[in-house]
Amino acid sequence: MEDGKLKVKANGAALLPFILFVLVYLATGLILNARGVEMAFYQVAAPVCILPAIVLAFIMFEGTIDDKFNSFVRGCGDENIIIMCLIYILAGAFATVSKTSGGVDSVVNFALSMIPVQYITAGIFLISCFISLSTGTSVGTISAVGPIAVGVAQKGNLSLALVIGALVGGAMFGDNLSVISDTTIAATRTQNVEMKDKFRANIKIALPAAIITFVIFLFVGKPTGEVVLDDLSYSFVLIIPYLFVLISALAGMNVFLVLASGIVLSGVIGIATGGLTMMTFAQNIFDGFSGMFEIFLLSMLTGGLSYMVSQNGGIEWLVQKIRSFAKDVKSAEVSIALLTLVTDAATANNTVAIIIDGPVAKEISKDFKVDPRRSASLLDAFSCVMQGIIPYGAQILIAAGLTKELGAAAVSPVEIIPFLWYQGLLALFALASIFIRFADPKDKWDFEKDMPQVQ
């Protein structure tokens, strides 16, 4: 968020607004949780929690009100923030239209029909991987596949915690990798890299972890009772929009064109198959926009606050402290990983963690010549690791809640944690990539032009 032309003086006190934001977020969740409120960390929206931090920034930073307001608005209107917000709403529209037309149900039923029942736990993991990769939402994946997973566990006399662990692990796989996930959008825009390039760097870490997890579930997730699945009707044509978005984004097509085309394609197919009408198509586009309002607003407010903090030396102070620890690329990447883990543990929101840590990671990237594709990959991977294991995160809370709602023996979030093998393996491979360097992009990064070197 820094201009890059005027070097600001390091000032640790300038970080107080960000610290206040995290403390308000954390304290609100802890207090509500102590009172027995369900989904305690998500009862007060993040944009509301950041308001005290913005007020503090206006009070403590020097300058006139007009000057401070101009700085705040300049940060809100930063090019990367606006691009990020526009991608959010298009991704929301695509996900909503595709789901309403029946795409998610078709993907789930298609996958279930292809998987032998003796490997159903591994199948739940695989289905969750594909759904989350296609839709970009771990919470949405858990909500869609969760009832099936609980039913399968009951019918097959399987450990419910084991099956839920497979479900959550698969959901975090796509949350980390999907080109339309809000974490991917935030990570790529804050580091100024292409989605396809971040995907290529990330897949080298996530895929080995997913493969090993899948193999483990093949052996330990076999049902001991008979599993009879209900009607598994599906329409392959409804799966096409997801495949189109995934393939075209990875092929390098402009992300706005990818998502706009995906929305139109989903609408045309939905109308042709009877899942949508012209009216409901239009309504679902707006519903998708509305569903992204919270993260849209939070990104803008955080962008404004981040710019003010940066202009007053907060980011520079934090980077200097990290610089005193980091001596090379490896230790700099470890710093990014640790910063992301701590921030996500405090906020219980991986997108928020990336938005907060993104500007710092970008400065670390410049100082220590960390490839921005790597910093984006590390931000996303480690935020998803922490988000996927904290028992007060939305993903595990919703998954555990489903067991109670669907009449099964209730499983607590803590009981699920020992079965979150994918998240553990993802952390292991991400750390290994720092010291062994097997996930580095093949081409070098031009730090002066802030783009890959032209061969």
Side-chain angles (χ1 to χ4, degrees):
M1 295 297 175
E2 195 174 315
D3 284 346
K5 296 181 180 180
L6 181 63
K7 190 72 172 179
V8 297
K9 183 180 179 180
N11 176 20
L15 286 171
L16 286 175
F18 265 143
I19 294 172
L20 178 62
F21 170 40
V22 173
L23 288 177
V24 170
Y25 210 138
L26 182 62
T28 302
L30 291 174
I31 291 170
L32 292 176
N33 186 66
R35 293 180 176 179
V37 177
E38 293 186 3
M39 301 291 291
F41 280 79
Y42 303 91
Q43 293 302 315
V44 180
V48 176
C49 291
I50 202 173
L51 292 179
I54 294 171
V55 172
L56 178 61
F58 270 80
I59 293 173
M60 66 180 290
F61 293 149
E62 295 181 356
T64 66
I65 288 292
D66 287 342
D67 289 340
K68 286 182 276 193
F69 185 75
N70 288 337
S71 292
F72 179 73
V73 172
R74 186 174 182 181
C76 292
D78 179 84
E79 178 184 1
N80 282 321
I81 296 293
I82 298 301
I83 290 173
M84 184 161 57
C85 290
L86 291 175
I87 295 172
Y88 281 146
I89 62 172
L90 287 176
F94 170 73
T96 303
V97 172
S98 299
K99 180 180 179 180
T100 305
S101 65
V104 172
D105 291 336
S106 282
V107 171
V108 172
N109 289 344
F110 172 73
L112 284 172
S113 67
M114 297 291 107
I115 297 168
V117 290
Q118 65 265 34
Y119 303 126
I120 198 65
T121 304
I124 292 293
F125 174 74
L126 198 62
I127 293 168
S128 300
C129 285
F130 186 74
I131 292 290
S132 57
L133 188 63
S134 302
T135 63
T137 166
S138 53
V139 170
T141 298
I142 291 168
S143 299
V145 185
I148 296 171
V150 172
V152 164
Q154 289 177 299
K155 292 178 181 178
N157 198 27
L158 284 161
S159 164
L160 196 51
L162 170 69
V163 176
I164 294 298
L167 169 68
V168 176
M172 297 315 298
F173 173 84
D175 198 334
N176 175 208
L177 278 178
S178 175
V179 292
I180 59 172
S181 167
D182 48 6
T183 59
T184 295
I185 295 166
T188 53
R189 293 318 309 174
T190 58
Q191 305 308 296
N192 192 31
V193 300
E194 297 290 333
M195 290 186 180
K196 61 183 177 65
D197 292 333
K198 180 263 181 187
F199 181 91
R200 291 167 182 168
N202 226 159
I203 194 70
K204 297 174 184 177
I205 298 169
L207 188 58
I211 291 173
I212 294 174
T213 304
F214 178 73
V215 172
I216 293 173
F217 282 128
L218 284 177
F219 287 98
V220 303
K222 294 182 178 180
T224 57
E226 183 181 2
V227 178
V228 180
L229 298 173
D230 297 326
D231 177 44
L232 296 178
S233 59
Y234 63 88
S235 173
F236 188 79
V237 71
L238 293 174
I239 304 174
I240 293 175
Y242 294 121
L243 297 176
F244 167 80
V245 166
L246 179 62
I247 294 170
S248 56
L250 296 180
M253 185 185 292
N254 178 277
V255 65
F256 290 104
L257 182 58
V258 168
L259 291 171
S261 301
I263 293 168
V264 173
L265 182 60
S266 294
V268 170
I269 291 175
I271 292 170
T273 56
L276 295 171
T277 64
M278 284 297 296
M279 181 63 72
T280 57
F281 176 42
Q283 290 171 342
N284 275 277
I285 290 176
F286 186 73
D287 287 344
F289 290 170
S290 302
M292 288 293 185
F293 176 72
E294 181 178 334
I295 192 63
F296 182 106
L297 181 59
L298 177 65
S299 296
M300 291 192 66
L301 295 177
T302 307
L305 180 61
S306 179
Y307 188 84
M308 294 179 73
V309 169
S310 178
Q311 289 297 98
N312 285 274
I315 302 297
E316 178 63 24
W317 182 87
L318 187 55
V319 170
Q320 284 188 11
K321 292 301 178 183
I322 292 174
R323 192 181 294 128
S324 66
F325 160 76
K327 305 300 180 185
D328 53 19
V329 170
K330 292 179 181 178
S331 53
E333 291 186 351
V334 169
S335 300
I336 293 172
L338 290 175
L339 188 63
T340 307
L341 289 170
V342 171
T343 307
D344 187 85
T347 61
N349 189 309
N350 44 352
T351 307
V352 173
I354 292 172
I355 292 172
I356 292 174
D357 295 337
V360 180
K362 187 62 176 176
E363 291 301 316
I364 296 172
S365 169
K366 293 176 184 176
D367 281 1
F368 293 95
K369 299 296 184 284
V370 174
D371 192 310
R373 293 166 292 189
R374 280 284 296 162
S375 59
S377 174
L378 293 171
L379 280 168
D380 207 343
F382 281 101
S383 69
C384 285
V385 166
M386 183 58 73
Q387 187 65 27
I389 62 173
I390 50 176
Y392 50 89
Q395 289 77 3
I396 293 181
L397 286 175
I398 291 173
L402 282 172
T403 63
K404 183 178 180 180
E405 291 175 15
L406 297 171
V411 174
S412 73
V414 176
E415 290 178 279
I416 300 171
I417 292 176
F419 300 100
L420 301 173
W421 299 326
Y422 170 72
Q423 290 87 316
L425 287 167
L426 178 62
L428 182 64
F429 276 96
L431 282 172
S433 74
I434 294 175
F435 298 101
I436 303 176
R437 314 308 303 179
F438 63 86
D440 287 356
K442 293 181 180 179
D443 55 331
K444 302 297 183 181
W445 189 265
D446 187 331
F447 287 91
E448 290 187 7
K449 298 180 180 178
D450 200 24
M451 62 181 291
Q453 288 182 359
V454 179
Q455 300 296 325

